[in-house]
Amino acid sequence: MGIVQGDQMILNIGPQHPSTHGVLRLEVRTDGEIVSEIKPHLGYLHRCFEKHSENVTYEQVIPFTDRCDYLASMNSNFGYVVAMEELMEIKVPERVDYIRIIMGELNRIASHLLALGVYGLDIGAFTPFLYMFRDRERILDMFELTCGARLLYNYMWVGGVSHDLPKDFEKICIGFLDYFEPQIKEYNNLLTYNKIFIERTADVGVIPADVAVSYGVTGPNLRGSGVKWDVRKDEPYSIYDRFEFDIPVGEGQFGTLGDCFDRYWVRMLEISQSVKILRQALKDIPDGNVHQALPKKIRPPKGSVYRRTESPRGDLGYYIVSDGTPVPYRVKMRSPAFTALSCLDEVSRGWMISDVIAILGSLDIVLGEIDR
Amino acid sequence: MSKYFANIYDTVNTLWTGMRITWRHMMNIKRDNVTLQYPEERWPRPERNIGFNHDNYNVIRSRLHVDIDECIGCLKCTRACPVDCIKIDTIKAPVRGEDIPNVGHTGETSSGTKKALLVSRFTIDMSECCYCNLCTYPCPEKCIFMVGGPNGSKHPIDYEFSEFDRNNLIYQFAKLITPGQKEALQNPTPEVEA
């Protein structure tokens, strides 16, 4: 951090602070109330995911991927199993693909709802948080119906899913979507168009597109800066190429392109796009066996694979090296939240301390995934 | 100057919009109330029979339980567990598929499998368990499961099993065998002293 000169002061935010979204410690050098440097200290939630994976079999890695991004466990599972299937050259039945996309998109909605609600909470709006949690709860109920767990699912397996969908899941899910779509309008009226909220977020913490690209920021944070990049569209995995959906990008409607409001707004628009994908998937889902392609013993051939998928936080990549044994030689996870946090220092220089909280919230980081 | 008043108008207007929404919810408190008074009332658990031909699936995450009379000591659950919270010790049974009454060992499972091993220790440390449900799938006798669900009639659901002492979370399922009995089982024909 260097020498503190003159009026400068070092302020410690975290590791236990409600606005740091987990256990993150920020060492902030301030000049009065203006931030001149931020140094994030990581590792409070380090659980040796990558080293641990080298000591368990391939199917036992899946519960550990759950715990990395615990707000979007389905998407974490999804990335791992897609990578494994590419390595083993398994073709899963069509129903499995549809189930995975339904689950992934539902979890994307749940994760974005939490991100937006907690962002409002950081800024000082308490009510939207409760409303968004109420609706997130209904998604978790659907997950509980499907696989028994509400947060850490272990639902997607290599070559299939652990359970088929419950009997009238389609009806329940359509019912939820019909209930949920009008709620988005309510959130917008309650929080998005609120003048106080716009004043706190518009023009604050601008990430220009070139800075975002050079730091490797992905997902809604990158799209908020106006870059149209979505792995689901540009490098389709599973059967995402069959669905029709748009990639919302920031427009800077209340301030500059790439400010906190744009990142918030992209997430809000993405929820509607997920609803659109869900409706298409629920309409077309075929019948079939979900365990058909499940291998008896997972022993991939020698080789390696890198597969990227779009998690709610961005580009989630898995690099898996196999040496032909039932235990992986190496599992590397490319975490989108980690790269998002890395640009915090550059983005928040020159802003006030209260704006740092707004910037950090808009990046939507999950510390379980950053530390792994 | 006009921007100043426009700002004030915007603020009041958008605040009023938001307040109207919360007010509407407050008026419909009977319909919109989602808060549960937890210990008194509980959220209804979803129906576990998920249809199709998968009735035997245990779609539930709760406390693990073992029907020890059904266990044949094959160690498949131990190998499936990613956190190694299941520990099993076995002794070779003197005669395959025969009861040993003095240690409470039954020779056959309810599905008719003859046991070759006697399970002398079966512990599950529920404080280590990560509730991934991976141990329940490979079991050939379907004797390890999470309580509730399809087994609800025999073993009602239990997800509130906190303890004051951590050791109480280590569940012992095997029947108690004294060291003397263990010795006798391991050396079935001790040498007779001359």
Side-chain angles (χ1 to χ4, degrees):
Chain A
M1 208 81 205
I3 302 159
V4 183
Q5 300 159 337
D7 292 338
Q8 292 189 333
M9 181 182 84
I10 289 189
L11 180 74
N12 211 24
I13 305 177
Q16 291 176 10
H17 188 275
S19 293
T20 54
H21 298 231
V23 259
L24 168 69
R25 178 172 151 236
L26 295 176
E27 210 175 317
V28 186
R29 189 214 288 264
T30 61
D31 183 1
E33 222 182 320
I34 310 292
V35 172
S36 53
E37 195 186 347
I38 291 186
K39 197 175 170 196
H41 289 266
L42 313 175
Y44 291 96
L45 219 53
H46 183 56
R47 288 149 302 171
C48 292
F49 160 69
E50 288 174 7
K51 193 70 196 165
H52 218 124
S53 308
E54 293 165 18
N55 294 306
V56 293
T57 58
Y58 283 99
E59 56 265 69
Q60 288 174 353
V61 175
I62 299 173
F64 290 111
T65 64
D66 275 340
R67 281 149 180 83
C68 286
D69 187 353
Y70 43 81
L71 297 179
S73 302
M74 288 285 187
N75 294 84
S76 298
N77 290 355
F78 201 169
Y80 179 76
V81 295
V82 167
M84 278 306 293
E85 277 152 17
E86 208 171 294
L87 182 63
M88 296 176 72
E89 291 165 5
I90 298 177
K91 180 91 184 67
V92 293
E94 211 153 88
R95 185 176 172 83
V96 172
D97 275 330
Y98 274 93
I99 291 176
R100 283 180 182 171
I101 279 175
I102 289 168
M103 290 299 153
E105 293 305 315
L106 276 176
N107 211 334
R108 191 184 306 276
I109 294 176
S111 170
H112 280 344
L113 280 179
L114 190 129
L116 301 178
V118 173
Y119 190 43
L121 202 62
D122 285 347
I123 305 271
F126 190 75
T127 319
F129 168 73
L130 297 176
Y131 288 5
M132 289 174 189
F133 248 62
R134 176 195 62 195
D135 297 338
R136 178 176 178 265
E137 200 72 0
R138 293 184 61 145
I139 298 179
L140 297 193
D141 283 343
M142 277 193 275
F143 288 150
E144 193 189 0
L145 191 67
T146 311
C147 65
R150 292 175 69 86
L151 196 67
L152 306 164
Y153 311 107
N154 183 22
Y155 180 60
M156 293 177 195
W157 287 0
V158 179
V161 290
S162 69
H163 306 93
D164 206 339
L165 289 179
K167 225 179 283 167
D168 33 3
F169 184 83
E170 284 89 342
K171 220 169 73 197
I172 296 167
C173 197
I174 294 268
F176 166 76
L177 295 179
D178 288 343
Y179 154 84
F180 179 68
E181 263 178 316
Q183 302 291 325
I184 299 175
K185 213 175 141 207
E186 196 178 280
Y187 304 148
N188 284 336
N189 284 333
L190 200 59
L191 184 64
T192 312
Y193 299 132
N194 188 302
K195 185 72 180 164
I196 302 169
F197 180 75
I198 291 173
E199 288 290 313
R200 281 295 308 273
T201 54
D203 274 332
V204 172
V206 179
I207 308 181
D210 55 334
V211 172
V213 170
S214 68
Y215 272 97
V217 175
T218 46
N221 298 328
L222 179 69
R223 293 193 281 277
S225 302
V227 182
K228 207 167 186 171
W229 170 261
D230 190 320
V231 181
R232 287 177 292 172
K233 203 79 163 178
D234 295 314
E235 226 177 82
Y237 55 96
S238 194
I239 50 164
Y240 268 112
D241 44 354
R242 288 187 204 175
F243 299 102
E244 214 172 282
F245 60 100
D246 305 326
I247 304 169
V249 288
E251 288 153 358
Q253 67 230 66
F254 290 108
T256 327
L257 179 68
D259 56 8
C260 288
F261 184 84
D262 273 348
R263 290 194 282 280
Y264 166 88
W265 185 231
V266 162
R267 290 203 175 88
M268 195 59 106
L269 294 175
E270 258 181 35
I271 290 180
S272 334
Q273 295 305 321
S274 291
V275 171
K276 210 166 144 188
I277 297 174
L278 277 171
R279 282 200 192 278
Q280 294 171 40
L282 286 167
K283 206 177 74 197
D284 301 339
I285 183 164
D287 281 341
N289 190 341
V290 296
H291 292 112
Q292 210 170 302
L294 217 59
K296 257 233 147 38
K297 185 136 200 159
I298 299 183
R299 198 188 280 262
K302 266 186 192 176
S304 65
V305 68
Y306 181 79
R307 182 72 239 180
R308 51 171 68 174
T309 54
E310 183 79 15
S311 93
R313 262 150 275 284
D315 185 338
L316 172 75
Y318 281 98
Y319 178 59
I320 302 168
V321 182
S322 156
D323 56 355
T325 55
V327 178
Y329 182 74
R330 176 93 169 91
V331 176
K332 156 91 180 110
M333 184 187 186
R334 186 241 184 244
S335 145
F338 181 78
T339 51
L341 183 67
S342 67
C343 78
L344 178 71
D345 179 35
E346 180 163 338
V347 171
S348 50
R349 281 187 190 185
W351 293 101
M352 295 212 179
I353 293 171
S354 55
D355 291 330
V356 169
I357 300 299
I359 295 167
L360 187 67
S362 77
L363 291 174
D364 182 26
I365 52 170
V366 166
L367 267 295
E369 197 185 46
I370 291 174
D371 294 341
R372 272 161 279 164
Chain B
M1 194 64 185
S2 68
K3 195 160 180 254
Y4 177 74
F5 285 110
N7 266 342
I8 293 177
Y9 172 76
D10 263 4
T11 312
V12 173
N13 191 18
T14 50
L15 272 183
W16 176 249
T17 318
M19 292 302 259
R20 239 185 17 231
I21 291 168
T22 44
W23 182 258
R24 208 168 55 232
H25 280 289
M26 205 178 96
M27 286 297 106
N28 287 325
I29 195 155
K30 280 263 155 54
R31 194 194 67 194
D32 291 351
N33 183 19
V34 289
T35 310
L36 281 176
Q37 303 298 328
Y38 164 59
E40 278 83 37
E41 35 177 356
R42 287 184 166 82
W43 191 252
R45 285 181 306 279
E47 186 61 44
R48 292 299 166 178
N49 185 3
I50 62 166
F52 300 106
N53 43 5
H54 303 309
D55 309 345
N56 52 352
Y57 281 152
N58 206 351
V59 200
I60 201 158
R61 310 290 171 95
S62 57
R63 190 165 60 78
L64 273 172
H65 187 85
V66 182
D67 280 342
I68 196 68
D69 284 343
E70 309 280 308
C71 179
I72 57 169
C74 65
L75 304 185
K76 277 188 180 164
C77 48
T78 324
R79 287 194 204 106
C81 181
V83 290
D84 297 339
C85 72
I86 305 172
K87 306 238 163 37
I88 304 177
D89 284 347
T90 51
I91 304 169
K92 197 167 180 299
V95 187
R96 189 192 167 109
E98 208 162 85
D99 292 0
I100 309 171
N102 65 338
V103 292
H105 173 74
T106 49
E108 272 188 27
T109 64
S110 61
S111 63
T113 315
K114 287 189 167 58
K115 292 189 203 170
L117 297 166
L118 184 148
V119 180
S120 62
R121 175 197 180 201
F122 198 126
T123 58
I124 298 180
D125 190 346
M126 282 311 280
S127 61
E128 275 180 31
C129 176
C130 73
Y131 301 91
C132 63
N133 220 355
L134 280 175
C135 54
T136 61
Y137 297 101
C139 183
E141 298 292 326
K142 305 242 176 295
C143 73
I144 183 166
F145 48 79
M146 295 202 162
V147 292
N151 302 300
S153 52
K154 259 196 303 180
H155 302 282
I157 187 168
D158 181 10
Y159 54 92
E160 298 155 316
F161 48 94
S162 61
E163 295 278 357
F164 285 103
D165 188 355
R166 213 185 131 152
N167 286 333
N168 294 345
L169 279 172
I170 303 174
Y171 291 95
Q172 320 267 358
F173 291 105
K175 295 189 175 124
L176 210 61
I177 299 180
T178 59
Q181 285 169 333
K182 198 172 174 179
E183 185 78 9
L185 281 164
Q186 275 164 343
N187 310 309
T189 46
E191 284 176 29
V192 186
E193 280 178 39

